[in-house]
Amino acid sequence: MQYYIGVDGGGTKTAICAAAQDASTLFSAITGSASWREYGIEPVVRNIKEVIGSFPLEGEGQIAGIAMGLPCYGESEEGDRDLEKAVREAFPNTPLYLTNDVEVGWAGSLGLASGVNVVAGTGAIAFGKDEKGKTARSGGWSEFFGDEGSCYWMGRKVMELFSKQSDGRMPQDVLYTTVRSELGLRSDLGFIDLMHDNYIINRDKVASLQLLANKAALAGSPSAKSLYCDAADELILLVKAICDRLHFTKRPFLVSYSGGLFKAGDLVLDRFSKGVAETGGSLYAPQFEPMHGALLLAFEQFCPSGLPDLRKCLEVL
């Protein structure tokens, strides 16, 4: 029996799944980060190989193809070369499709259909493919000078708004009191040590400050509500940039979304939806998980005849 593997490598976790060619069996596992810039190429690839090796493939099960989406792939010539070498050495004689993790997010959210997928989690990035197969990506540059509209970007904005509301550069509203209360501050200036010692060194913790903006916005904070509007506008720019570079013949074209920021619901989705419509798109709820998108890519590349059975299997999960 032949099996196909999909790998959705993320900065926080990596989701891996496998399916038989007739989709009669399906395995999945979650493991650690696939961020090779942070943890190194060899440890990341070794961890992925160990997880795949643990799958109970029946009999003389043969891995006939792997689609692997990894963070930062396609962004560094030297890094890509070293990563490709390590992956091919780990899986010799196995057909491989290596791509950026944003493509597996698109493949899962839209089920391989043409359109755009926007991810707004710790970072923010978008990927699109038109009906002719042409692709484009936008965003995802770096938290230091990009990732606008992401939870990390929102977290930094929360820091800025709190400091301005504390020292009188902006009127104080519920955001100020929410931050003080939720972080247990005894003095406003204590915010500086707290941020430097516990937050700025950790991307995920900075991104978690978005939750304070969410709580404040739901309590009526004008500054927090405005911040979600600003985030939506940045994400709309990602969609517009991809739309301008691709040629969608179907209108409206599909735009899907994923990531923690969208859990804020209407605070971001109302404005985002309107902006997407103005670009000629229409919001579409994600169809499958990103790891299933990786598996769909593996079947598309190496076993296209099995795609119908795989779709039926995924639709009932």
Side-chain angles (χ1 to χ4, degrees), residues 34 74 84 104 111 117 125 134 191 229 236 246 309 312:
E84 289 169 1
V104 305
N117 182 52
I125 190 170
K134 183 179 179 182
F191 186 72
C229 290
I236 292 164
L246 300 182
D309 287 336
K312 291 178 182 177

Side-chain angles (χ1 to χ4, degrees), residues 298-309:
F299 271 69
E300 181 184 55
Q301 293 291 319
F302 309 118
C303 185
S305 63
L307 273 172
D309 287 336

